[in-house]
Amino acid sequence: MGFWETIKRDIEVVFERDPAVKSLPEVILCYPGLHALINHRIAHFFYRHRLYFLARLISHISRFLTDIEIHPGAKIGQGVFIDHGGGVVIGETAEIGDNVTLYQGVTLGGTGKQKGKRHPTIGDNVVISAGAKVLGSFLVGNGSKIGAGSVVLKSVPPNSTVVGVPGRLVVRDGARVENGRMEVDLEHHLLPDPIADTLTALQEKIQQLENRIEELERGEGYDSGIQYPDQKQRSIKYA
């Protein structure tokens, strides 16, 4: 796909994924995420032709204008949507697939000072929620979702969800398919929380134990065999 076809697709996804959009002029003039992508595609062209200074200059000006920092060496696919975009950082060796959605504050960063591939590879149809940090050289599989504020430090299988610090994997169904076309699931606020689920289970167990103790205290001093349920019930004499 050529440059203008790619830009056209970048504009289309704004209408597909942002319910607040009202018109084409609004998208073209008022969406910093779109501006950052257009500037990056120009900068990446010069970067591939080894005009590194010019590429970095375009990237730097774009960062000043949009508050979105994309290194000109990063590889970005088609249909990528950066929503709001403030504080988004995408490193030099990051690779982003098609139909990816990034919210504000997302970082696709590296770890250490080693050369070569040091930033993540993001598969197709991935949603990375606000403030998430994906750090290191590994793959986030197709159709996965990264919860808001998560810190992801290792690979994510396809069609999975990661939440928490550090990121914990919670297996879910993959992205929905309707009319033969993959639909990007943007419900990034409806993510499971394994810590909350564990605390809820503990609360329920504590409540059960409290109810049991209350029953025993009303049982006129009889031991109902809570520790040794197979033994015969015996009377407890109090001094």
Side-chain angles (χ1 to χ4, degrees):
M1 183 178 288
F3 176 80
W4 293 111
E5 289 78 8
T6 300
I7 299 302
K8 180 181 178 181
R9 179 58 186 152
D10 291 339
I11 294 174
E12 289 176 350
V13 298
V14 178
F15 286 94
E16 293 175 4
R17 300 180 205 169
D18 189 355
V21 64
K22 299 296 189 298
S23 65
L24 180 60
E26 178 186 4
V27 173
I28 294 175
L29 298 175
C30 303
Y31 273 72
L34 176 63
H35 301 160
L37 285 173
I38 294 174
N39 292 334
H40 168 73
R41 298 192 191 285
I42 296 172
H44 186 64
F45 171 83
F46 290 112
Y47 188 89
R48 288 190 293 107
H49 289 80
R50 299 181 180 275
L51 299 173
Y52 299 126
F53 175 76
L54 182 57
R56 287 303 301 267
L57 181 61
I58 294 172
S59 174
H60 184 70
I61 295 173
S62 178
R63 176 189 178 186
F64 176 78
L65 295 175
T66 65
D67 194 28
I68 298 171
E69 180 175 354
I70 308 177
H71 193 284
K75 299 177 181 179
I76 298 181
Q78 302 168 13
V80 173
F81 179 45
I82 302 177
D83 195 5
H84 298 289
V88 167
V89 177
I90 301 175
E92 178 186 14
T93 61
E95 299 179 34
I96 301 176
D98 298 334
N99 302 316
V100 171
T101 302
L102 307 177
Y103 288 88
Q104 63 272 18
V106 166
T107 297
L108 305 181
T111 55
K113 298 181 180 180
Q114 71 275 17
K115 299 290 186 179
K117 186 76 167 75
R118 60 190 184 279
H119 298 92
T121 297
I122 310 300
D124 299 337
N125 305 299
V126 172
V127 175
I128 305 181
S129 304
K133 314 300 178 186
V134 185
L135 308 175
S137 177
F138 53 82
L139 174 66
V140 176
N142 297 342
S144 293
K145 296 167 68 175
I146 309 298
S150 300
V151 178
V152 183
L153 303 173
K154 58 183 179 180
S155 298
V156 178
N159 303 318
S160 301
T161 298
V162 171
V163 297
V165 181
R168 298 179 302 279
L169 179 64
V170 181
V171 179
R172 295 187 64 194
D173 293 334
R176 299 187 299 272
V177 177
E178 293 186 1
N179 299 324
R181 182 176 180 179
M182 185 69 71
E183 178 182 346
V184 179
D185 183 3
L186 299 180
E187 301 293 340
H188 60 104
H189 63 293
L190 301 177
L191 301 180
D193 188 338
I195 291 180
D197 293 342
T198 301
L199 292 176
T200 300
L202 288 174
Q203 289 176 337
E204 293 176 353
K205 188 63 176 179
I206 290 172
Q207 186 61 51
Q208 293 175 2
L209 292 173
E210 288 179 346
N211 293 340
R212 182 59 172 158
I213 291 173
E214 185 177 352
E215 292 176 0
L216 292 173
E217 290 177 344
R218 293 198 304 262
E220 297 182 356
Y222 283 100
D223 178 9
S224 60
I226 189 171
Q227 183 174 6
Y228 304 103
D230 295 331
Q231 291 188 5
K232 184 179 180 180
Q233 190 179 75
R234 63 186 186 278
S235 177
I236 299 176
K237 296 181 179 180
Y238 297 98

